[in-house]
Every structure is written in C-alpha cells, then in structure tokens.
Amino acid sequence: MLRLAFATLAGTAIEFYDFFVYGTAAALVLGPLFFPSFSPLAGSLAAFATFGAGFIARPLGSLLFGHIGDRIGRRPVLFISLLTTGVATVLVGCLPTYDSIGAAAPVLLVVLRFVQGIGLGGEWGGAVLLTAEHAPADRRALWGAFPQMGPPLGFLLANGLTLTLSTTLSDDQFLAWGWRVPFWAAGILAAGGLLLRASLAETPDFHELSRTGGQADAPAVEVVRRHWRTLLLTAGALSCGYAVFYTVTTWGLAYGTEEAGISRTVMLALVMGAVAVMGTVTPFVAVLADRVGRRPMCLLGSVLSALWMFPFAALLGTGKTALVFLAFVVALLAFVSVFAVTAAYLPELYEPRVRCTGAAVGYNLAGVLGGALTPLVTTALSEDGGPPWGVAAWLTGIALLSLCCFAALPETRPAALAAAGTVPAVPGQPGAGDRPGDRRTPA
C-alpha cells in the first residue's frame, strides 16, 4: 500500500504541476504576451478564460478515461492521461506569442489548455481508484489522502520554480523566456512519472469485474441513467472546494500583485506557504474521516468556507502580508476539510462497474462551476478597488450550495454502515428506495 500510495501521489503531483503552472502563468504573464491589445483587466480576463478551458475539458476527459477505466482497467488510465497532459504542457512552453504569429497564438493556447484538461480529467479517477480499491476499508480515507496530497505538491513545484525564476531573472528576461521553463520541465517530470507507474498492479475490484464479466457496456450512459442524482449532488457539493482553492492560488495571486500592491515574489511565497500548510494537514483530516465519517467532515468544511469568505475579503483588502497569509491559510484549511476525504467518499458512492466514470465525472463537473468560472467572476467583481466584497458574496453563495448538496448525500464510512447492519440506498443507484429495509453491500 505504501509503494502504491506514493506512486499515485507522485503521479497526481506531476499532472497537477502541469495544470497549476498554467494557472500561475495566467495570473502573471499570459495576458500581456498573448492578448497585448487588451486593457490590463481585459487581458487578465482573457488569460483566465483560457485557464477555464482546461476545466471545461476535464469532464470530457473523465468520460473518455472513465470508459477506459471501467471497461479495460484503472491502470491504463494512469499512463495515457499522464502522457496527454505532459505533452500538452511542454508544447505550451514552445508556443510563439502574439507578437510572433498574431491571433493564432491565443487560439493555440486555448487548444493546448483544452488538451491539458482532457488528460487531467482522467488522471484523478484512475489514481484515486487505484488507491481506494486496494486500501483496507477502515483506512480508505487515509490511503486515499495520498493522491489528494499530489495537487498541493504539484502546486508547490510549479510555483517554486516560477518563484525561483522570478527572483533570479529580470522582468524582461522572465517575460522573454523565463516563464517557459516550468512548462518545459513538465516533460522531464512526465517521463519520471511514467517509469514510476510501470510496476503498479490492477485493483482487486476490477479483477473481480473482469473475472465475472461484470463491466458496464456503456459506463457513461449507465451513470447518467441510474446515478444522475448522485452525479449532480457531488458536482454541486465539490464546487465550493474548487472555488476556494483557485480563488486563493490564481485570482488571489493576481489581485495581490495588481490591486493590493504586493510584489510578485512575495505573493508567490504567501500562496506557497498556505498551500504547504494545507498539504501537511491533509492526512490528519483523512484520519478523522476514517473515525467520524466522510459526510461530517465535508459539512464542516462547507460551513467554515461560508463563514470565512467575508473575513477573507477584508484581510486581503488590507494589503498587509501577514493578514493576507492568514486569509489564505484559513480558507485552504476549510477547503481541505472536504478534499482530504473526497478520494474515499466519491468512490464509495458508486458501484464498481461504473465507479471510475461516476467518481471522475462528478469530481470534474464541480471544476467547471467552481474552478473555471471563479477566476473570471472574481476578476470582474474586484475591478473597482477596495476590499473585494463581491468576491466574498460569490464564494459564500457557492459554499452554501455545497452545504445543501452534502446534506443530501449519504454517509459511506464502512465502519458506520457495518455497525448499522445496512447500507442506505445511495441516491441515483438502482433500487434506491424500492424496498423498505433494503440491505445492500457496501461499495
């Protein structure tokens, strides 16, 4: 389990490195390089629009790779998705700017960002299921936290390299070629990740499906037809986490440098410090989820997010580094209360034959609402200067939506279900509510 957990952690770290390095570049340099004729605000909005294209692609990637994962196996997903994202990221680093090829530059930028999203849409489902389906039931959240620690590690790698280049190069050098280096580094990381994953074994659950011929013929169709309510609830429930994370790591970075007057280097350091705290706390939250349940931790995270957003805006508006750091840390601690347990919670909501598709599509649909729209909306809402109260209202609304969705989802912790002697009918699954006292096997 330890070897497998670290392999999935390394893989998700590399994939999310690719995704995050684009977000950092969008906040810092892509506007003037690819949309030079726009005003600063319009350039930022255009750069964040290309950033959002990756999130729109992620549900499509989860459908494609979910089909592979449910029909052929979880393991092949890890190789194809990593290769797809790595190649697209390296090509972004090779892309000529607007001054060189004109309007073709932003068009190609959007295309490559879309391909990045396709690859990442498959990565999460494959990595999470490989860990969750090997893990013992009473420690599933703990082992599932390893691939969930990949995103903060990938973020730290991406921003650490960007910070190093930002401090060692002049502004002209950074704009000329320095911003490309983190994209080129993705090729080396992807090659290492592919080697690391070569020895991973297929999961016991999929071996059993293959032995009995239980794979779904059309997993996506089955998920939509029989699990649609669970799919919509999980997408709404997880949208707050995406919104909070990308508000801090992408929009917050741009706001701090452009509106609050904090230097680019300091803002990168503040965001990285907050993400490091979040990554460190992740396994401890997962241990709590194995003891008290998945749903209580998710409800707690949603409530904390709703309560913190207006203080978050007030602290950010001060422009004082210590207060900005406090705003970031508390927001990400609320976020991790949900996302530390997601790798265990989502797979437990679906039966094995459609688990890769259902869990991945629900997770990535949340990214469209919470991740794709948030940088655009928050940038537009914060253009007038002063504390970004409009941003706080937007985030509070999404947190309340997530709270309602989590309240409508069932608990899935195996120990609690075994103690009760039954499994509640999961919303959207066949037979839900058909028979009183329905006894069903835990996923």
Side-chain angles (χ1 to χ4, degrees):
M1 276 306 306
L2 194 61
R3 181 176 61 83
L4 186 146
F6 275 108
T8 56
L9 184 155
T12 53
I14 293 166
E15 287 257 24
F16 277 90
Y17 166 90
D18 295 351
F19 207 68
F20 289 143
V21 78
Y22 189 103
T24 304
L28 298 178
V29 298
L30 293 187
L33 289 176
F34 287 87
F35 307 95
S37 60
F38 289 16
S39 69
L41 173 64
S44 294
L45 286 170
F48 283 139
T50 64
F51 174 79
F55 285 97
I56 295 171
R58 283 173 64 169
L60 299 178
S62 62
L63 286 171
L64 171 63
F65 287 105
H67 183 88
I68 295 172
D70 286 325
R71 290 287 304 162
I72 301 174
R74 320 314 193 193
R75 189 171 174 269
V77 171
L78 300 180
F79 291 90
I80 305 171
S81 62
L82 183 57
L83 185 62
T84 301
T85 307
V87 170
T89 306
V90 172
L91 289 178
V92 170
C94 300
L95 196 62
T97 63
Y98 187 93
D99 289 342
S100 299
I101 59 174
V107 171
L108 291 173
L109 188 66
V110 173
V111 170
L112 291 175
R113 177 61 173 174
F114 195 84
V115 175
Q116 262 194 334
I118 291 287
L120 192 62
E123 163 66 24
W124 186 86
V128 161
L129 289 195
L130 204 71
T131 306
E133 291 186 345
H134 274 100
D138 61 341
R139 292 290 182 268
R140 190 173 291 138
L142 174 59
W143 290 113
F146 278 79
Q148 291 299 81
M149 287 188 284
L153 182 57
F155 181 88
L156 292 174
L157 287 171
N159 283 269
L161 183 52
T162 303
L163 178 60
T164 301
L165 293 166
S166 178
T167 55
T168 56
L169 301 176
S170 67
D171 286 344
D172 289 341
Q173 289 174 322
F174 187 77
L175 284 172
W177 58 268
W179 68 273
R180 299 180 182 274
V181 175
F183 290 93
W184 295 337
I188 300 172
L189 293 174
L194 290 171
L195 289 174
L196 187 61
R197 289 179 163 183
S199 62
L200 297 181
E202 188 53 82
T203 72
D205 284 11
F206 189 79
H207 276 309
E208 180 64 17
L209 285 175
S210 299
R211 186 184 67 81
T212 60
Q215 298 104 311
D217 293 328
V221 173
E222 189 168 324
V223 166
V224 171
R225 184 191 306 158
R226 299 165 61 181
H227 304 260
W228 61 270
R229 186 169 180 268
T230 301
L231 191 69
L232 294 178
L233 285 174
T234 52
L238 296 176
S239 61
C240 175
Y242 275 103
V244 169
F245 185 82
Y246 286 102
T247 293
V248 171
T249 60
T250 301
W251 171 81
L253 185 59
Y255 180 88
T257 55
E258 296 169 9
E259 300 290 339
I262 304 173
S263 73
R264 179 176 63 203
T265 300
V266 172
M267 279 305 302
L268 279 169
L270 293 176
V271 173
M272 287 175 61
V275 172
V277 173
M278 181 197 80
T280 302
V281 170
T282 298
F284 298 99
V285 176
V287 169
L288 280 176
D290 276 326
R291 293 184 178 181
V292 305
R294 288 66 160 120
R295 187 168 170 267
M297 298 304 300
C298 293
L299 292 171
L300 174 64
S302 300
V303 170
L304 290 176
S305 296
L307 293 176
W308 184 245
M309 289 304 103
F310 278 94
F312 170 85
L315 294 173
L316 197 59
T318 66
K320 297 180 179 179
T321 55
L323 297 180
V324 171
F325 182 68
L326 176 63
F328 287 170
V329 167
V330 177
L332 291 183
L333 289 178
F335 157 82
V336 83
S337 298
V338 174
F339 271 65
V341 305
T342 301
Y345 196 17
L346 260 65
E348 289 171 347
L349 288 169
Y350 293 91
E351 56 191 307
R353 58 188 275 115
V354 296
R355 185 174 287 157
C356 194
T357 300
V361 171
Y363 183 84
N364 287 295
L365 279 177
V368 176
L369 174 60
L373 293 180
T374 291
L376 290 169
V377 173
T378 50
T379 299
L381 291 174
S382 61
E383 63 176 307
D384 296 330
W389 302 122
V391 173
W394 164 260
L395 294 173
T396 301
I398 295 183
L400 293 175
L401 168 65
S402 292
L403 180 63
C404 294
C405 291
F406 277 125
L409 286 168
E411 177 56 74
T412 62
R413 184 170 65 106
L417 300 177
T422 186
V423 178
V426 177
Q429 287 195 355
D434 289 347
R435 301 184 304 276
D438 182 31
R439 296 290 193 271
R440 301 179 55 232
T441 303

